[in-house]
């Protein structure tokens, strides 16, 4: 991918983010923060690459530590979001 | 050449760095980098998988537009992450060998090229280590997520942000130490553009990390919440930021042998500035800080996405970055504070003089009992409850919901009115009410319900104070002037639960609502008072 394509993706994603986030109901802003936390840990991709490459020991260990940190965030973030969302209930019909 | 490169070398540059790079990078280097891209193999299936992952993340946020679709949204998020991780795991194999594969030895399945020179023992060893690392993280993460109290969400989110930041720093450093694995080599050194992106990623990550650690310490009470003001802090902060930018440029231009001290200095300064930026911010501004760090963690991921040329990371970074920025904006607007003044810090430091100084004269107010309140609530047609964080501190939300249920059974219409700053982070109060099983259809935002106070028989204020203070509308000298507030004075009756007449809200200002004719002060612990009202309603 060349510079312009990747920049285009970034800029368009910023616009998508802007409109999508404004459409999030304020009642769910806390779960929004928890879930954005979880998805920003997609940075684990970089950590996986570093840990998988064996040539440089230092980079490999940094990668493995990065995997642990990002995993805490991924599992913790999605789990706590799920826990919160499960609490939002409609009125029980009597 | 069939060797799959997960990470394509590319000459991308973050929009915010475009000018700096154009100035810093010699033209020939840019051209070389671009040539390399043009010739580098990109497996379309892998690129597609990351794109799908990015789209799933968009759908995850889209789902949050209503509680009904939110759970599906969260599952989209998980699926997106799974796709990204599995794609990386499947394709990382080929990163082991630096020799190009002979055509005959590579095989292809589902379009994903399986590497030709897989060194199986070492590969499996790596794979095992990676799975162990993921498992350790999973156990820690899930344990925390299950145990955390909903009142502690702000500090949990701050702690999670710090992890994203640190992970970005680690990935940046790993890419610096082993650029070959990340496909960042132009000739035999790292491309200048990649170095700018790497430097920015490390800097933003480090700021996110140290800033979030301070935010976590403040929110969890491990550190005083009041602002710590260094003399000449603005000069120090601006100087440090400028130094980081200069170092990034030097790092990009430096020869391979000279980069190490520069990147170390860059990392250390970025950790320092994160710390310096957050210590002067305190008290009521913390929700803005948490949202802002949310945004930073997104930009850190985006910068790393540029380094790796990974669409999933770029899309996610842009989403999270915008999300945090919008939430910061919403919080600032709700407090009528400019973003700059929040960043500059010091809010709450001068409040003692504003609150304590002048108006100390005793004004008459009416005090009522739980029985009085219960009687009038029963007679009402419409009750609007305004919960504040004090309600959560007193753990009164369950008793409150019980009271609302009893009133509804008696035919009273009950609504909850939530101010954006009612909790300690955006949407926090909604979560606390949801936990107490308050149906979300009964919970309304400030702008949706403010016009209804005129028809309300009772405005029931519990644990809130500044958000109902009319001084925000009338008194230009008040520290909360301009902040949107609930028009409780339009309600026929106002009940104000408060521990005593002494304490004042976050902003430290007196509240005229206490002394209105239609106000009845219910002076007690919030939980005890609501429980007594419940008993009286029986």
């Amino acid at each position: 991918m060349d510079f312009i394509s990747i920049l285009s993706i970034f800029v368009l994603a910023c616009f998508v983010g802007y409109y999508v986030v404004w459409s999030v109901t304020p009642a769910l802003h806390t779960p929004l923060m928890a879930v954005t936390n979880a998805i920003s840990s997609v940075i684990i991709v970089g950590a996986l690459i570093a840990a998988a490459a064996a040539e440089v020991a230092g980079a490999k260990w940094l990668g493995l530590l990065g995997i642990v940190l990002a995993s805490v965030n991924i599992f913790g973030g999605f789990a706590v979001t799920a826990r919160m969302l499960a609490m939002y209930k409609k009125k029980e019909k009597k | 050449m069939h060797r799959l490169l997960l990470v394509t070398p590319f000459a991308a540059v973050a929009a915010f760095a475009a000018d700096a790079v154009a100035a810093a990078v010699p033209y020939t280097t840019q051209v070389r980098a671009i040539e390399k891209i043009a010739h580098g193999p990109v497996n379309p299936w892998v690129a597609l998988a990351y794109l799908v992952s990015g789209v799933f993340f968009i759908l995850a946020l889209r789902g949050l537009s209503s509680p009904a679709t939110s759970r599906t949204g969260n599952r989209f998020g998980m699926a997106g992450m799974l796709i990204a991780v599995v794609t990386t795991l499947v394709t990382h194999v080929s990163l082991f060998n630096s020799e190009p594969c002979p055509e005959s030895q590579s095989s292809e399945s589902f379009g994903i090229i399986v590497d030709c020179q897989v060194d199986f023992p070492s590969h499996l060893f790596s794979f095992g280590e990676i799975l162990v690392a993921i498992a350790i993280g999973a156990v820690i993460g899930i344990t925390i997520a299950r145990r955390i109290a909903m009142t502690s969400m702000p500090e949990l989110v701050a702690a999670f942000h710090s992890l994203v930041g640190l992970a970005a720093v680690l990935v940046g450093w790993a890419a610096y130490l082993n650029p070959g694995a990340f496909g960042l080599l132009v000739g035999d050194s790292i491309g200048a553009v990649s170095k700018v992106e790497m430097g920015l990623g490390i800097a933003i990550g480090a700021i996110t990390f140290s800033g979030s650690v301070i935010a976590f310490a403040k929110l969890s009470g491990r550190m005083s919440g009041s602002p710590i003001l260094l003399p000449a802090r603005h000069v120090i902060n601006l100087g440090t930021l400028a130094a980081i930018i200069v170092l990034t440029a030097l790092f990009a231009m430096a020869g391979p042998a000279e980069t190490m001290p520069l990147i170390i200095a860059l990392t250390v300064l970025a950790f320092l500035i994160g710390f310096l930026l957050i210590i002067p911010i305190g008290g009521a501004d913390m929700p803005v800080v948490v949202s802002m760090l949310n945004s930073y963690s997104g930009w850190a991921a985006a910068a790393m996405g540029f380094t790796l040329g990974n669409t999933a990371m770029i899309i996610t970074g842009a989403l999270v970055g915008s999300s945090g920025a919008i939430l910061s904006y919403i919080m600032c607007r709700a407090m009528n504070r400019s973003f700059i003044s929040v960043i500059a810090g010091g809010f709450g430091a001068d409040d003692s003089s504003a609150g304590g100084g002048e108006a100390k004269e005793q004004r008459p107010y009416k005090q009522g009992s739980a029985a009085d309140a219960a009687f009038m609530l029963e007679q009402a047609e419409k009750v609007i409850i305004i919960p504040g964080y004090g309600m959560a501190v007193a753990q009164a939300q369950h008793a409150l919901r019980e009271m609302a249920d009893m009133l509804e059974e008696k035919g009273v219409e009950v609504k909850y009115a939530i101010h954006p700053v009612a909790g300690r982070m955006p949407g926090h109060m909604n979560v606390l009410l949801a936990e107490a099983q308050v149906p979300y259809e009964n919970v309304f935002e400030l702008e949706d319900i403010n016009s209804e106070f005129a028809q309300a028989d009772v405005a029931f204020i519990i644990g809130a104070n500044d958000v109902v203070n009319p001084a925000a509308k009338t008194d230009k000298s008040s520290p909360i002037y301009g902040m949107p507030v609930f028009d409780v004075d339009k309600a026929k009756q106002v009940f104000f639960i408060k521990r005593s007449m002494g304490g004042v809200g976050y902003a430290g200002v007196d509240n005229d609502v206490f002394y209105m004719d239609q106000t009845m002060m219910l002076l007690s612990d919030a939980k005890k008072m609501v429980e007594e009202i419940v008993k009286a309603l029986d």
Side-chain angles (χ1 to χ4, degrees), chain A residues 10 40 42, chain B residues 295 297-303 312-322:
Chain A
F10 178 70
S40 58
V42 71
Chain B
S295 181
S297 68
W299 302 130
M313 279 163 89
I314 291 171
I315 294 175
T316 311
L319 289 179
V320 178
S322 335

Side-chain angles (χ1 to χ4, degrees), chain B residues 173 176 199 202-203 206 240 243-248 250-251 258-273:
Chain B
W173 264 89
Y176 170 72
I202 291 176
T240 316
I244 289 173
I245 293 167
V246 171
L247 279 171
T248 310
L250 289 176
F251 173 62
E258 306 143 17
T259 50
M260 183 62 96
L262 291 170
I263 193 174
I264 290 176
L266 179 71
T267 313
V268 171
L269 275 186
F271 277 127
L272 184 70
I273 188 76

Side-chain angles (χ1 to χ4, degrees), chain B residues 21-91:
Chain B
V21 171
V25 180
Y27 177 70
T28 48
T29 321
Q30 289 182 351
V31 170
R32 266 199 289 160
I34 289 165
E35 270 170 6
K36 176 123 192 197
I37 290 150
H39 299 182
V42 183
N43 185 317
W45 291 101
V46 172
L48 201 63
Y50 285 123
L51 181 62
V52 169
S53 159
V55 170
F56 276 20
F57 290 148
I58 296 173
L59 292 174
L61 299 201
R62 184 77 189 102
L64 291 172
S65 57
S66 100
T69 55
S70 62
R71 287 170 276 260
T72 317
N74 199 33
R75 271 178 232 122
F76 268 118
M78 294 181 203
M81 188 60 76
L82 190 68
I83 292 171
V85 170
V86 169
T87 307
T88 314
L89 284 177
V90 168
T91 53

Side-chain angles (χ1 to χ4, degrees), chain A residues 45-88:
Chain A
V45 165
L48 288 170
I49 294 168
E55 314 89 70
V56 183
K60 187 182 172 69
W61 285 109
L62 291 179
L64 281 174
L65 183 56
I67 294 175
V68 175
L69 297 180
S71 305
V72 170
N73 232 331
I74 292 170
F75 286 90
F78 282 123
V80 86
T81 308
R83 197 180 136 201
M84 280 191 276
L85 294 177
M87 298 188 306
Y88 284 81

Side-chain angles (χ1 to χ4, degrees), chain B residues 397-480:
Chain B
Q397 57 269 46
H398 293 273
L400 186 69
R401 200 253 316 153
E402 214 179 316
M403 182 188 96
D405 284 352
M406 292 177 85
L407 288 174
E408 283 190 322
E409 268 169 41
K410 292 172 194 285
V412 183
E413 185 187 2
V414 181
K415 288 184 172 180
Y416 295 80
I418 309 281
H419 195 279
V421 297
R424 289 194 306 158
M425 68 187 285
H428 194 196
M429 186 53 68
N430 302 77
V431 174
L432 295 171
L433 291 179
E435 192 188 19
Q437 293 166 343
V438 171
Y440 61 79
E441 302 107 307
N442 290 4
V443 181
F444 296 87
E445 302 302 315
L446 171 68
E447 60 264 36
D448 298 329
I449 200 167
N450 219 3
S451 59
E452 291 187 30
F453 280 100
Q455 296 100 51
D457 299 294
V458 177
F460 191 91
I461 304 161
I462 172 167
N465 190 346
D466 295 334
V467 297
V468 297
N469 195 334
K473 286 183 283 187
T474 54
D475 180 4
K476 280 194 176 151
S477 66
S478 170
I480 58 168

Side-chain angles (χ1 to χ4, degrees), chain B residues 152-416:
Chain B
S152 306
M153 276 314 290
E155 52 258 44
L156 178 75
V157 167
F160 278 173
H161 287 156
S162 74
L163 298 183
V164 179
L166 193 55
V169 175
L170 296 177
V171 172
W173 264 89
Y176 170 72
L177 295 173
N178 190 3
F182 289 81
L184 300 178
L185 287 177
V186 177
D188 47 5
S189 61
I190 310 174
V193 177
S194 300
K195 283 200 281 190
V196 171
E197 293 155 0
M198 198 184 281
L200 280 175
I202 291 176
I204 303 172
I207 292 171
T208 311
F209 171 72
S210 54
S212 301
V213 167
I214 300 299
F216 170 77
K218 286 193 172 200
L219 287 164
S220 62
R222 285 173 176 80
M223 184 177 157
S224 161
S226 53
I228 298 166
L229 302 176
L230 297 176
R233 62 182 194 280
H234 298 312
V235 178
I236 297 174
N237 290 353
L238 290 176
T240 316
L241 280 178
I244 289 173
I245 293 167
V246 171
L247 279 171
T248 310
L250 289 176
F251 173 62
M253 290 185 292
E258 306 143 17
T259 50
M260 183 62 96
L262 291 170
I263 193 174
I264 290 176
L266 179 71
T267 313
V268 171
L269 275 186
F271 277 127
L272 184 70
I273 188 76
F275 174 78
L276 290 173
L277 279 175
I278 307 302
I279 53 166
I281 309 177
D285 283 345
M286 286 316 280
V288 183
V289 170
V290 177
S291 318
M292 190 180 83
L293 292 167
N294 185 248
S295 181
Y296 287 179
S297 68
W299 302 130
M304 282 300 147
F306 270 97
T307 317
L308 307 191
N310 183 301
T311 29
M313 279 163 89
I314 291 171
I315 294 175
T316 311
L319 289 179
V320 178
S322 335
S323 164
I326 291 171
L327 292 176
S328 311
Y329 167 76
I330 292 174
M331 286 292 112
C332 283
R333 193 182 53 180
M335 295 190 293
N336 191 38
R337 305 254 298 134
S338 78
F339 191 67
I340 298 294
S341 64
V342 171
I343 298 300
F347 190 58
D350 45 17
D351 281 341
S352 49
S353 58
E358 349 84 64
K360 262 292 160 207
E361 99 268 29
Q362 288 287 323
R363 291 157 73 184
Y365 62 90
K366 272 181 270 179
Q367 192 177 346
S369 69
D372 302 336
F375 176 75
M376 283 189 268
L377 284 169
E378 263 179 317
Q379 307 300 314
E381 273 175 31
K382 181 172 186 167
V383 174
I384 300 178
I385 300 174
I386 302 158
Y389 194 67
M391 175 208 71
V393 173
Q395 287 293 315
Q397 57 269 46
H398 293 273
L400 186 69
R401 200 253 316 153
E402 214 179 316
M403 182 188 96
D405 284 352
M406 292 177 85
L407 288 174
E408 283 190 322
E409 268 169 41
K410 292 172 194 285
V412 183
E413 185 187 2
V414 181
K415 288 184 172 180
Y416 295 80

